Amino acid sequence: MKKLILTIASMMLSLGAMSQQVSFLVGTYTQKDSKGVYKVTLEQETGHLFVDGVIIKAQNPSYVAYSKNRKYLGVLNESEEGTVSLYKINDGQFHLVNRQHTKGSYPCHISFDGNNNVYVANYGSGNVSVFKIEDKKLSEIKQTIKYDKTGPNTGRQEASHAHFSNFVKHSKTLYTVDLGGDEVHAYHMAKDGLQEKFSFQITPGGGPRHLVDNGGHIYVLEELTSKVAVYKKEGNNPQLVQEISMLPEGFTDANTGAAIKMSKDKKFLYATNRGDNSIVIFKVLQDGQLEVIGHESVRGDSPRDFSFSPKQNYIIVANQESDNITLFKRNKETGLLEFVGEAEISMPVNIVF
């Protein structure tokens, strides 16, 4: 009986330890040493990171996304002739279902909605491709939306560049951005495909890259000016109420903004600087505007993306040029970050839980 009790106790301890572990995926560029998509385990009690290895071998699988039911994984192959691959998930294993051409170049962002529609932004060709999971595989393209604009930054805005195609569940809206044309677009899915709800022009030369919709406001990260523009949602006519710098005072070197995310409680907004190599931490004020409360070094070079852990007590950053991912403990009350540790992965781009 005593032996049985000890065995049960040991099992409970083991299960407890397992419950403290959570895994995430890292999309990468494969120009150097990376072989594809990596799986990493975070031990939440200690803050240790364990690189489990490559779980999908692919060329430049820069961005990945789970379907809403988490039965599938979409993987972009960012190349001149862009493709998107669909993987079925069984017992933690990823099995290739099929692959489709995006009919665009250098796809850089992917998302799913709750009805198995798949949205891909093609940076190089400036178009958005729409697919659907049908008969347990990825369909051919259902719809393509092409942008054709330019902006004042001749180096980056010589043509349209779709950089974001993210479905926001609470707004039932697909948001896309055209970095080259300084435009944000919002769509809803109708029976005959995407229909535009509204669009708006941002400050010329801003170069919209990613955004956050918290219900009352839209927060647009301007890659080229390293600012966050805050728009108050007023029906189908969002109004600019604030533009605020992502950079620390006195910083004058070259910088581009990258990723932007908001905490679930909508109290804090975070964004990454490539140049200053920092995460800027904003407090979200009662009127929806932002106040800078800190900058945290990412302990790496060119923070391309970051993600919250499921409990939002950690933030993990992908530092593309320094070949490392870095882990920060997040104080949910103050929003501030504390460096915990890092792991080596070649050219990490995207972090997905």
Side-chain angles (χ1 to χ4, degrees), residues 126-143:
N127 62 308
V128 174
S129 306
V130 183
F131 303 85
K132 191 176 182 68
I133 300 175
E134 294 178 328
D135 300 323
K136 299 181 179 180
K137 64 181 181 180
L138 193 65
S139 72
E140 294 185 354
I141 286 182
K142 296 287 187 180
Q143 185 178 4

Side-chain angles (χ1 to χ4, degrees), residues 152-177:
N153 186 317
T154 55
R156 292 290 305 280
Q157 295 184 310
E158 80 297 344
S160 284
H161 296 297
H163 215 315
F164 186 71
S165 55
N166 194 55
F167 182 80
V168 177
K169 181 180 178 180
H170 64 77
S171 293
K172 297 181 180 178
T173 300
L174 175 76
Y175 283 101
T176 70
V177 303

Side-chain angles (χ1 to χ4, degrees), residues 214 217 219 266-267 283-290:
N214 75 343
H217 293 79
Y219 301 84
K266 302 180 181 180
K267 293 181 178 179
K283 181 180 180 180
V284 182
L285 305 178
Q286 286 190 342
D287 63 0
Q289 295 192 41
L290 302 175

Side-chain angles (χ1 to χ4, degrees), residues 10-36:
S10 298
M11 289 175 62
M12 291 180 69
L13 284 171
S14 178
L15 288 170
M18 289 175 63
S19 69
Q20 293 299 320
Q21 293 184 343
V22 61
S23 295
F24 59 92
L25 304 181
V26 183
T28 69
Y29 287 137
T30 53
Q31 284 96 318
K32 294 195 290 188
D33 297 326
S34 171
K35 304 302 180 185

Side-chain angles (χ1 to χ4, degrees), residues 270 279 306-308 313-317 326-328 330 337:
Y270 302 82
I279 299 181
F306 69 94
S307 184
F308 296 99
N313 53 337
Y314 288 101
I315 279 180
I316 300 93
V317 182
T326 45
L327 179 69
F328 297 85
R330 176 176 172 267
L337 304 176

Side-chain angles (χ1 to χ4, degrees), residues 81-98:
E81 188 176 4
T83 60
V84 54
S85 303
L86 186 71
Y87 290 82
K88 175 74 173 176
I89 305 169
N90 278 322
D91 297 324
Q93 301 295 312
F94 296 82
H95 305 279
L96 178 63
V97 177
N98 69 326

